[in-house]
Amino acid sequence: MKYSTTTITLAESRTDCLIANLKQCQQVARQHGAARFFETSTSDFDDKIGQTHLVNLGPSSPIKKMLVIGGLGASVTREDFSKAVKATATGLKSVKAKSALWALTGTRVKAEDVYWKASASLSALSNVLYSFNQHRQPGKNGDISLNTVALHADARTRGSVARAVRHGQGAKAGLDWARDLANQPPNVCNPSYLLKEARKLGRNPKVTVTSLDEKKMGELGMGAFMAVTRGSENPGRMIIVRYRGARNSSDAPVVLVGKGITFDTGGINLKSSGGMQDMKYDMCGAANVLGVTRAAVDARLAINLVTIVAAAENMPSGRATRPGDIVETLSGKTVEILNTDAEGRLVLCDALAYAARFKPKVLIDVATLTGAAIMALGAHASAVYANDDTLANALLEAGEASGDRGWRMPLWDEYQVGLKSQFADVSNIGKGGAGSIVAACFLGRFTEGQKWAHLDVAGTAFPGGPQNGATGRPLGMLFRFLIDQAEA
Ligand code: BES
Ligand code: MN
Ligand code: ZN
């Protein structure tokens, strides 16, 4: 999908599909001498938020079709605008059109600027216009025909719209890639596959991609990571992507860490079989930090970024870790592994300790870490943990602005108590409920001295069930956060 900006007047433009509010469509129809036809074909249209209506002006018209966005009067709230553009994007999916022109000028959004409006529209499009058909026979999958969308701007708004297009184009590339990685079946997407994919980022001269293999990780002392990967025939990898986009290459980087369990069987604490296939999505944290890295690189954000992916497969086998095993982590702390299904925090604790060597400005990890996060917040908000209020607020605000929301959770000392181990420095499971919080507290023991945030995205990264694939979340929130950091 190619996004662009145009300032040509709507009346003069040529497109397969004009997208605009009722009034604008009416006006353009009149200018094309199709006022009567437009009136009759929209006479039953309910001009409300969430409604859209397709008007076919015919193949010989310079504007072949019009998709009318319902409910967009002169001024609307941002919630209504978001709903309207989501409905519009969904409507557009089934319209046969190669090009579209989206008019942004007809509606003001209260307390938001043109950049926001353009970004919200592009983000709705990007989210909806995605499909994953790599493993079907080609042809009959209702592939999306649309390939260019121009946003209409005027002389005054052109700069803001162009900026939204640059960001939106990067976000789309990152989002599609992240969702593809996550939707791949687990016999394709293993740690080596993630490395092979991540290496593609290295085509940009500002990016370098390196990795640690199991031998190296063993030597470094990543005993927790090794405990997870040892049961699998597919070797684990720590993948490190460095993007040097800031004007000053020595600026402290934002460091992102992603949980990349390419399949989580639970290990010796084997999961029950119902729904186990969804555990291919246990690498969504990795996919989405890689995706946001791609977005930042493509949008040429002026920021230094280090992205670390802890990629492993959690399998039961004769070599697998046993409940009760004690391992020494990179940090020097020992962990008693009382449940091999609490593996995400094990690969992450070594990745987070490793991250310290990049001297992060802030350190943020993303993980489908606990079923408890789904219990707490469902699919509507990512659980946000942070040991720094400024960082927490910046992430929450980025979530609001992008429509990819988070909700802050506590890291109180009281929750740490359950992690006490009888035989080691810390246990990998807690007691007394609050599973998402306790898991976050575990990670917090490996990020002392860092400005650190943890996003538990078990509920938001994939909704579960047979119909829905990966969402790419929290890519929207993180990308907004990175843009804000780059432009601060
Ligand atoms: N990957 C799972 C968490 C998960 C479950 C994500 C369902 C998305 C959907 C994680 O590794 C896990 O198994 N967590 C356990 C932790 C428990 C053993 C302390 C959980 O949440 O039950
Ligand atoms: Mn698990
Ligand atoms: Zn897991």
Side-chain angles (χ1 to χ4, degrees), residues 62-258:
I63 290 174
K64 299 196 179 80
K65 294 170 186 173
M66 286 179 175
L67 185 62
V68 186
I69 315 177
L72 289 193
S75 170
V76 297
T77 63
R78 85 180 202 178
E79 287 71 27
D80 278 352
F81 189 83
S82 301
K83 276 185 213 153
V85 297
K86 209 172 155 200
T88 304
T90 310
L92 192 61
K93 201 172 177 176
S94 50
V95 175
K96 283 209 165 37
K98 285 204 161 64
S99 64
L101 170 62
W102 192 320
L104 289 167
T105 33
T107 303
R108 235 195 316 278
V109 180
K110 286 170 199 139
E112 299 293 353
D113 55 10
V114 181
Y115 172 83
W116 183 88
K117 233 176 2 174
S119 297
S121 307
L122 292 179
S123 141
L125 279 174
S126 297
N127 277 312
V128 172
L129 300 177
Y130 169 82
S131 58
F132 184 69
N133 292 318
Q134 287 183 31
H135 299 284
R136 293 186 222 270
Q137 289 192 331
K140 40 201 167 204
N141 307 306
D143 285 338
I144 293 148
S145 56
L146 194 68
N147 55 37
T148 63
V149 178
L151 293 189
H152 186 250
D154 54 32
R156 189 182 56 84
T157 57
R158 173 187 208 139
S160 304
V161 175
R163 183 168 156 262
V165 164
R166 172 163 58 87
H167 292 162
Q169 192 78 64
K172 172 70 172 153
L175 192 68
D176 284 352
W177 186 43
R179 294 172 84 177
D180 281 353
L181 292 175
N183 286 329
Q184 287 292 0
N187 58 331
V188 171
C189 181
N190 56 33
S192 317
Y193 177 85
L194 282 180
L195 175 59
K196 195 182 82 191
E197 284 289 309
R199 283 203 198 286
K200 292 180 180 169
L201 291 169
R203 290 173 195 158
N204 185 300
K206 290 185 177 168
V207 179
T208 50
V209 182
T210 55
S211 76
L212 307 176
D213 61 13
E214 288 189 352
K215 181 162 174 285
K216 183 76 190 164
M217 286 189 278
E219 284 164 12
L220 284 170
M222 295 184 172
F225 182 98
M226 292 306 295
V228 176
T229 192
R230 57 178 294 130
S232 173
E233 299 286 328
N234 291 313
R237 291 280 190 175
M238 193 73 75
I239 304 166
I240 301 115
V241 180
R242 301 196 69 164
Y243 167 55
R244 293 177 181 83
R247 232 157 283 132
N248 188 346
S249 64
S250 62
D251 280 0
V254 171
V255 179
L256 303 176
V257 174

Side-chain angles (χ1 to χ4, degrees), residues 259 264 271 279 282 339 341-345 368-372 374 428-429 458 462:
K259 172 179 175 182
D264 181 12
K271 287 182 181 295
M279 284 299 110
D282 213 16
N339 191 322
D341 197 12
E343 84 299 337
R345 61 199 79 180
T368 50
L369 202 62
T370 64
I374 312 175
N428 80 325
I429 55 168
F462 66 97

Side-chain angles (χ1 to χ4, degrees), residues 78 97 114 202 306 314 322 334 417 426 454 482:
R78 85 180 202 178
V114 181
V306 177
N314 188 23
R322 293 152 291 249
T334 59
V417 178
V426 58
H454 157 62
L482 292 179

Side-chain angles (χ1 to χ4, degrees), residues 259 341-346 348-349 352 365 367-373 383 385 409-412 415-416 418-419 426-431 433-447 452 454-456 458:
K259 172 179 175 182
D341 197 12
E343 84 299 337
R345 61 199 79 180
L346 294 175
L348 287 173
C349 76
L352 287 167
D365 76 77
T368 50
L369 202 62
T370 64
Y385 297 88
M409 306 278 274
L411 283 170
W412 300 325
Y415 290 107
Q416 293 278 356
L419 289 167
V426 58
S427 149
N428 80 325
I429 55 168
K431 324 181 211 350
S436 175
I437 304 174
V438 173
C441 286
F442 178 94
L443 296 179
R445 305 225 179 173
F446 300 87
T447 57
W452 160 74
H454 157 62
L455 305 176
D456 192 336

